[in-house]
Amino acid sequence: MDVQPGHCWCCEKPHPQTTVPCDGCPVAVYCTTSCRDRDKVRHSTLECEIFQANKCSACGKRGKTFECSGCNDAWYCDTDCQRHGWPFHKAKCKEIMAYVKQVSLELLHRPTHFDFPFYIGSTMAKDFLQLEINELSTDRVDKERLTRGYHVLSAGCGNLCNTVLTAGSLPGRYLGKLHITLNDNDPFVMARNVLFLFMLVRFADTDNIASSLTTIWYSLHISKREYDLIKTSLDELIQMSAQQLHDATQGLVRLLDEDLSYLKPVWEKWRALECQRDKKTSIKLRQQRQILFDEWPDTMMNHTIYLEHIYEKDRKMIEEWFGHGLFCPYEANEKDMSFDNPTLTAPKASEAHAGEDARLFSLQNNAQAESQEDATFVYCISPASTPFEEWDCLKVRENTPGSHSSPMVMYHKYVTNLLQKVKSLILHGRLLIYVSLANSLDFPNHHQTLSMPNYDRIFTSNLADYVGFAKLLHTFKPLLNASNSYSAIVTETLSWYEKVPGAKPDIDDLSDIQLEKIRHCFASTTGIPEIQPTCFSDYFNNTSHFLQYLRADIMAGGLGIPSLKEVPSFKSVKNYHGMEMRDFRKGLNKLVPFQYLVTKRDLNVKSARDRAVEWCLPKR
């Protein structure tokens, strides 16, 4: 469900001149019959089942059908078949409708806080634009599309990886400017973002600045040279006004002085930390990280499952990484990395007032000097987060060909290459970033006050898990650029997987023959002998369960959006609030895959639960 156009659905290599189509659905295309046959077990149970003509639930004929509007999980040739099939379908239909109501009631009480700042994202980096399959996808692209500026809003997700991937993925023929609004009310995430962007410009002429910045982004320990880059940057940033920052970054970073005041206490604290590892008063990040691993529930079990899913040639290196946490362009000796990385720290969750406006921490510190003195900055990366989860390992391997001594070195090279492209865009004045610390749901008011242009893309990460789809669509629809037919709002959800009965694949329901076929297919595709439970999602079609979740979520409303008394039809959900949802059952998404395949992504194993839905303005 995530294969790029022009690539094989099995090996994902670019298509040769002659291709082999799937004989069951109109979507999948392979480079050879061998690839088609190897992918048949997996594809036939997932995409092929979704995209091919449906089978009538009454007479069994496959062809043009209409679906049961009650459950969306039965199809009929005509009303006669529906009438004949109803006695057999009635119980299941009512059961599914009851599930939707049950889930909608549960969604009235959503999670409200995070334990860690998202220095490393909970979802994989996204290319916000995907110009080649959107605005630049037509046979004849006019000059206006190649030179116009595109505006993107990343709402409630300030993580810099999406910006870096988008800027680094721009087609060579595109010559316009990219305007990105990074919105996140977490001052720690945003302080880190602005620091990195400032460093990329401030030290643009410094050798290997992109490589150094990649190391600072992820490595537990850093060299003296990299620490000095951080220290110099912090010393300068702490003294700047918003206008001075704008000028110092050659127009790259724009923000309000009010928002800058929330970032400075974070920079001051990082600057004050003792990071030289051989000093007794050092922050000792490695020990803090190990304590977090020891105390966090299920850490060892999750690490073990993760390691079992990784290709054998990489497994030992990743296991060692869990111990040392180094992320360098070479196999660095821990002794040579003589400083701890201050940008991997933040206050403990209790001190950061998890569940409230994260800026409250900074506001309190500004008002009470004593509070700032007492705030303890410690290692703050969730044990469930790794650099390998943040970047699609398929893209990493594709763009860093050849052999590498470890996955860390391979990933480091990939991110460094992207940062080099970002630096080039910055120096040519083609990347402009507005930083906003407003609460994401209040951002439209700031947008209006500042007379900002509307957006070609609005990404909301997985905010839907916390506020619901209805609230997001009501909030951000007015901010879409109505003059661009490719404009879209992208919503993601991670928590749906746990809420809908039957959404998780149950291995016990498979016959021995089915299980053996899946295991053989998995081993032949990945080279990993034993399939992990998460990977069964690639062989299990739970699309109907996700439809139940979407209907339940819209039914629940929330945050000022009243809940519905009756279960909405899926047709009404697709057209909710005057939007048009791209139906993932009839074609592929245009920006973010509806569902990532886990089998092919050994280093991105968590992606089994991620689902992305794209919403567009009605065509005029």
Side-chain angles (χ1 to χ4, degrees), residues 141-152:
V141 179
D142 56 39
K143 183 178 179 181
E144 190 273 337
R145 289 189 184 180
L146 292 172
T147 57
R148 61 158 289 193
Y150 288 95
H151 295 261
V152 177

Side-chain angles (χ1 to χ4, degrees), residues 338-584:
S338 53
F339 284 79
D340 280 329
N341 186 350
T343 74
L344 296 181
T345 67
K348 292 179 180 177
S350 59
E351 294 180 39
H353 303 274
E356 302 176 25
D357 186 338
R359 291 186 296 171
L360 182 60
F361 168 75
S362 296
L363 288 169
Q364 287 183 329
N365 285 347
N366 288 341
Q368 302 176 22
E370 186 176 1
S371 297
Q372 186 173 4
E373 294 290 333
D374 293 342
T376 303
F377 273 46
V378 296
Y379 178 81
C380 65
I381 307 298
S382 166
S385 299
T386 75
F388 318 108
E389 297 281 7
E390 192 159 57
W391 305 95
D392 186 341
C393 63
L394 290 182
K395 292 184 180 296
V396 174
R397 289 177 172 129
E398 178 184 350
N399 289 280
T400 54
S403 60
H404 303 88
S405 56
S406 72
M408 290 77 77
V409 171
M410 178 178 65
Y411 267 67
H412 195 287
K413 181 178 180 180
Y414 175 75
V415 177
T416 296
N417 289 342
L418 288 175
L419 284 172
Q420 287 171 339
K421 295 177 182 178
V422 172
K423 186 180 78 168
S424 177
L425 283 178
I426 293 171
L427 297 181
H428 286 89
R430 294 179 54 206
L431 177 61
L432 304 168
I433 298 176
Y434 178 73
V435 174
S436 168
L437 272 76
N439 182 292
S440 58
L441 300 182
D442 292 335
F443 178 78
N445 295 325
H446 295 259
H447 177 269
Q448 183 176 16
T449 301
L450 297 171
S451 300
M452 301 172 72
N454 278 14
Y455 296 99
D456 301 288
R457 311 281 193 273
I458 297 177
F459 276 68
T460 62
S461 188
N462 67 317
L463 280 179
D465 290 332
Y466 300 91
V467 304
F469 291 99
K471 183 64 177 179
L472 292 180
L473 297 180
H474 277 269
T475 300
F476 293 111
K477 178 186 175 184
L479 274 60
L480 270 183
N481 178 9
S483 66
N484 183 0
S485 61
Y486 294 92
S487 295
I489 297 174
V490 180
T491 58
E492 294 180 78
T493 175
L494 301 175
S495 66
W496 79 277
Y497 206 58
E498 307 290 337
K499 298 186 182 300
V500 182
K504 289 184 178 181
D506 191 341
I507 301 173
D508 293 335
D509 290 341
L510 298 174
S511 68
D512 291 341
I513 295 176
Q514 288 174 307
L515 194 57
E516 184 57 33
K517 282 183 178 180
I518 291 174
R519 283 177 171 155
H520 176 75
C521 175
F522 178 80
S524 65
T525 304
T526 67
I528 300 173
E530 186 60 36
I531 186 170
Q532 295 301 317
T534 308
C535 298
F536 276 97
S537 63
D538 283 3
Y539 303 86
F540 178 68
N541 182 8
N542 54 15
T543 306
S544 64
H545 300 85
F546 187 72
L547 300 187
Q548 294 172 39
Y549 179 81
L550 278 176
R551 296 169 71 187
D553 191 282
I554 293 296
M555 184 178 181
L559 292 181
I561 309 297
S563 56
L564 303 178
K565 294 182 180 179
E566 301 294 333
V567 176
S569 67
F570 183 58
K571 182 178 179 180
S572 68
V573 169
K574 288 194 296 180
N575 296 282
Y576 181 78
H577 194 53
M579 301 293 290
E580 287 187 357
M581 189 195 82
R582 288 187 180 131
D583 193 338
F584 37 81

